[in-house]
Amino acid sequence: MKLESTHAISVCVLAGGLSTRMGRDKARLRLGGRTLLAHVRATAHLLGLPVRVLRRDAVPRCGPLGGIYTALTTDDAEAVLFLACDMPFVSAAWLETLLAQFARHKQATFTLVARHAGFPLLVRHADLAAVEAQIARKEF
């Protein structure tokens, strides 16, 4: 697989979901004059980091974990900031808070909602083995 970045941190927008509950591609839904994906990409670009959109997972059918695995195996950045394509209201300020937290602790950094990890999140390239183990255990 091709490595995509030479930066310490890159941004990956996950847009490869099946959208089964929605019934159509969430990334292409329009909000105002733009798609949900366009809103997320615009916010991500405000960070000044390399941004890419991932539409196909190397390991299908394991939810966002497949996208996380795919990005980590195709990017040589120290860490990847993951965004979901269906979060048009995520703010650059919140993303900067996560980046600052990562810079202080140099470990995977998650958004917590009711004690559950969610998006956005940062995962270190060094954590790839843990992601692979989670996929092997089918803990999606």
Side-chain angles (χ1 to χ4, degrees):
M1 290 186 182
K2 182 181 170 202
L3 297 180
E4 292 287 333
S5 176
T6 57
H7 289 76
I9 298 175
S10 64
V11 180
C12 183
V13 181
L14 300 183
L18 298 175
S19 299
T20 52
R21 290 177 297 193
M22 181 67 69
R24 58 189 232 195
D25 185 0
K26 290 184 286 189
R28 292 189 176 143
L29 290 175
R30 298 191 81 70
L31 176 65
R34 298 190 291 187
T35 64
L36 295 184
L37 177 58
H39 283 281
V40 175
R41 286 180 70 187
T43 301
H45 281 292
L46 294 174
L47 301 173
L49 299 170
V51 177
R52 69 179 173 144
V53 175
L54 190 61
R55 291 190 177 271
R56 297 217 170 158
D57 298 344
V59 181
R61 299 280 199 200
C62 59
L65 198 58
I68 291 169
Y69 170 82
T70 302
L72 292 176
T73 58
T74 59
D75 195 314
D76 67 352
E78 175 187 351
V80 179
L81 171 62
F82 290 96
L83 305 173
C85 69
D86 60 353
M87 298 182 73
F89 302 116
V90 69
S91 70
W94 178 245
L95 299 177
E96 288 168 352
T97 298
L98 289 173
L99 290 166
Q101 182 77 8
F102 176 80
R104 279 192 297 279
H105 300 287
K106 296 292 185 191
Q107 63 185 7
T109 305
F110 300 89
T111 298
L112 295 178
V113 178
R115 293 190 285 168
H116 296 284
F119 284 88
L121 57 109
L122 275 108
V123 178
R124 300 176 312 148
H125 191 270
D127 295 323
L128 178 58
V131 172
E132 290 171 327
Q134 196 168 341
I135 290 171
R137 291 189 308 268
K138 298 190 184 308
E139 293 177 356
F140 307 136

